[in-house]
Amino acid sequence: MEYSPVCHSLYAFWSSPVKKKLILLSIMFLIWVYMLYSCVGYCSTMPSLVVESYRGKETGSAVGKRTESGGRTDLVSRLLAKPQPWEDIESDYEEPSIRTAASRDLLNNELDPDRADDWDEMRAEQQRAPDPSAMSSFSNGSGSKKLPQAIIIGVKKGGTRALLEFLRVHPDIRAVGAEPHFFDRNYDNGLEWYRELMPKTLEGQITMEKTPSYFVTREAPARISAMSRDTKLIVVVRDPVTRAISDYTQTLSKKPDIPSFESLTFKNRTTGLIDTSWSAIQIGIYAKHLDNWLQYFPMDQILFVSGERLISDPAGELGRVQDFLGLKRIITDKHFYFNQTKGFPCLKKAEGSSKPHCLGKTKGRTHPNIDPEVVQRLRDFYRPFNMKFYQMTGRFFGWDD
């Protein structure tokens, strides 16, 4: 065979034991890199995973600790884990035989029975064909999920669903349909879980959600402040007497055998002492709950919307909300018509639809007849709290006329 310097060099290189090991190690390294690259490509096609859990404290700490086990997190359990869905159909009424303050007080985690209403609205939205022009900016997957810059925090049976549906007509507002209940029930799931619930937004758009029970949840102000001190808060308030009756009516529709409104209102009917442990009464003491929020947020970051004016003048109240959010006044009188049957305004065109849209059948229920003496006793009870609330907000709502 003819002598070749190249072949001789290769033979000499391969015959060295040290160099053999270097070559084998190089090959093994390249194979490992290739496998890692393939794994990353595969994992990127899986649903979003919550890798870190942000756990806040009642003191308002902004970020929690990373979950660890022996210094290392189990990779398999992390890959298989899924964000927990939030519960949205629950009951807020204990059996009459268990009439303790803890079991009936929303401040002690009493649950809202009408979350099914939200799902009714969500199903209706899904059945409405999306407007191609409204969805064009999201058709290519553009935008990103952000934590909400504005939250409707209350109150239950005040008109929060109507306000949210009206606001979603605005092209610069993107909102979650159902209530996340993050800052009261699902806080341990972490901020990344919360963020994943939000819709995608483009630059200049506002992300919103609404959960009315936040307003009466003692821990909610500190937790929202820990997320962002710049969060804008919206509270829809309504005559507390009418609100309490509406609250009762809602529960009555679910459980027809509950005690009468009159019997639940008083601790003792003879003495006329109001039972403030009943959530239907407790929620309407707005001044008390607002005190808690003002420890974490200045008044100019909270907007109070009149539930009564949301019915009589929806465009006027929506104008105030749009100004508060720093948005152009796009939602005007032309977006509404008054539905005589339901007794409240409806949208001529809902978000993503060219058809009129009214809130579901669970809204606008007929109230039962309540003893006028009980109604007057409740008005007398709420009057000092209402006056204090007017002073705190600088707005007269006219509930005591």
Side-chain angles (χ1 to χ4, degrees):
M1 177 183 291
E2 185 175 338
Y3 176 78
S4 170
V6 175
C7 292
H8 178 74
S9 299
L10 291 173
Y11 176 79
F13 181 85
W14 181 253
S15 63
S16 171
V18 175
K19 293 177 179 177
K20 278 184 178 181
K21 291 182 179 179
L22 287 174
I23 292 174
L24 289 174
L25 287 173
S26 299
I27 293 173
M28 291 175 66
F29 176 75
L30 290 174
I31 293 173
W32 180 82
V33 170
Y34 175 76
M35 292 176 65
L36 180 63
Y37 176 79
S38 300
C39 180
V40 171
Y42 170 74
C43 291
S44 66
T45 65
M46 297 179 69
S48 299
L49 303 174
V50 179
V51 178
E52 291 191 8
S53 176
Y54 294 81
R55 299 182 181 274
K57 304 294 183 182
E58 289 186 4
T59 55
S61 58
V63 183
K65 297 180 180 179
R66 183 189 300 268
T67 302
E68 296 183 353
S69 177
R72 289 166 47 181
T73 305
D74 185 350
L75 178 61
V76 175
S77 64
R78 285 166 54 191
L79 289 175
L80 294 178
K82 295 182 180 179
Q84 298 179 13
W86 66 89
E87 293 187 21
D88 222 54
I89 304 176
E90 297 173 333
S91 172
D92 76 340
Y93 186 77
E94 295 290 338
E95 290 299 322
S97 59
I98 310 176
R99 288 199 56 179
T100 63
S103 68
R104 305 194 310 158
D105 190 346
L106 261 180
L107 297 177
N108 290 322
N109 297 323
E110 184 176 328
L111 304 181
D112 188 343
D114 213 25
R115 297 284 67 81
D117 294 354
D118 287 335
W119 288 113
D120 290 341
E121 295 296 329
M122 291 292 285
R123 291 190 201 98
E125 288 173 14
Q126 293 170 358
Q127 292 171 2
R128 295 197 296 265
D131 182 358
S133 62
M135 297 298 293
S136 60
S137 60
F138 293 91
S139 60
N140 59 358
S142 60
S144 60
K145 295 186 176 184
K146 300 180 180 67
L147 293 170
Q149 297 95 48
I151 304 176
I152 300 174
I153 60 172
V155 298
K156 178 185 176 186
K157 306 310 295 179
T160 58
R161 169 56 60 185
L163 177 62
L164 184 72
E165 292 301 307
F166 295 163
L167 283 174
R168 293 173 77 182
V169 173
H170 200 293
D172 290 332
I173 292 177
R174 300 281 293 166
V176 182
E179 298 171 5
H181 282 280
F182 176 66
F183 294 105
D184 57 354
R185 303 178 195 167
N186 296 305
Y187 195 61
D188 285 344
N189 288 341
L191 283 173
E192 287 305 314
W193 177 90
Y194 185 47
R195 189 199 304 269
E196 281 301 307
L197 301 180
M198 299 301 128
K200 287 184 176 181
T201 53
L202 299 173
E203 188 67 29
Q205 290 183 318
I206 292 176
T207 303
M208 289 188 68
E209 71 116 319
K210 76 104 175 171
T211 303
S213 55
Y214 290 163
F215 188 62
V216 296
T217 300
R218 194 173 303 279
E219 300 82 8
R223 291 171 173 178
I224 295 177
S225 177
M227 177 187 72
S228 173
R229 294 181 180 179
D230 296 326
T231 306
K232 293 188 175 183
L233 309 172
I234 301 174
V235 188
V236 187
V237 288
R238 180 184 183 186
D239 181 338
V241 177
T242 309
R243 197 221 66 80
I245 297 173
S246 179
D247 200 338
Y248 173 80
T249 304
Q250 173 178 287
T251 306
L252 184 64
S253 70
K254 308 288 183 180
K255 298 187 175 183
D257 57 342
I258 63 173
S260 68
F261 180 86
E262 289 84 353
S263 64
L264 291 171
T265 297
F266 298 101
K267 285 185 176 180
N268 187 313
R269 182 71 182 267
T270 303
T271 62
L273 185 63
I274 301 294
D275 188 355
T276 57
S277 69
W278 185 26
S279 67
I281 302 296
Q282 175 69 245
I283 292 173
I285 309 176
Y286 303 140
K288 173 184 174 181
H289 304 305
L290 180 56
D291 265 334
N292 190 30
W293 287 90
L294 292 179
Q295 295 179 38
Y296 298 90
F297 292 91
M299 187 63 80
D300 60 6
Q301 265 180 249
I302 308 175
L303 179 70
F304 296 90
V305 174
S306 167
E308 287 82 10
R309 284 182 57 82
L310 201 57
I311 295 175
S312 63
D313 181 22
E317 286 300 282
L318 266 293
R320 295 179 62 247
V321 177
Q322 291 170 95
D323 292 345
F324 174 69
L325 297 175
L327 300 175
K328 183 179 179 181
R329 285 198 177 196
I330 291 178
I331 306 173
T332 61
D333 282 321
K334 68 181 181 180
H335 289 90
F336 303 99
Y337 73 95
F338 192 83
N339 187 304
Q340 296 291 343
T341 303
K342 288 184 172 290
F344 50 76
C346 299
L347 289 168
K348 291 181 179 178
K349 291 183 181 180
E351 178 200 26
S353 173
S354 59
K355 298 180 180 179
H357 172 60
C358 278
L359 297 181
K361 60 182 180 180
T362 58
K363 306 299 180 181
R365 297 183 181 97
T366 301
H367 291 179
N369 293 323
I370 306 298
D371 185 341
E373 181 184 340
V374 175
V375 173
Q376 186 57 51
R377 181 67 187 87
L378 274 177
R379 294 210 175 278
D380 295 339
F381 167 79
Y382 279 122
R383 186 171 292 107
F385 296 109
N386 291 345
M387 294 302 175
K388 176 65 175 176
F389 186 66
Y390 299 162
Q391 293 173 359
M392 296 171 76
T393 60
R395 185 176 183 189
F396 179 71
F397 291 89
W399 299 323
D400 303 287
D401 290 352

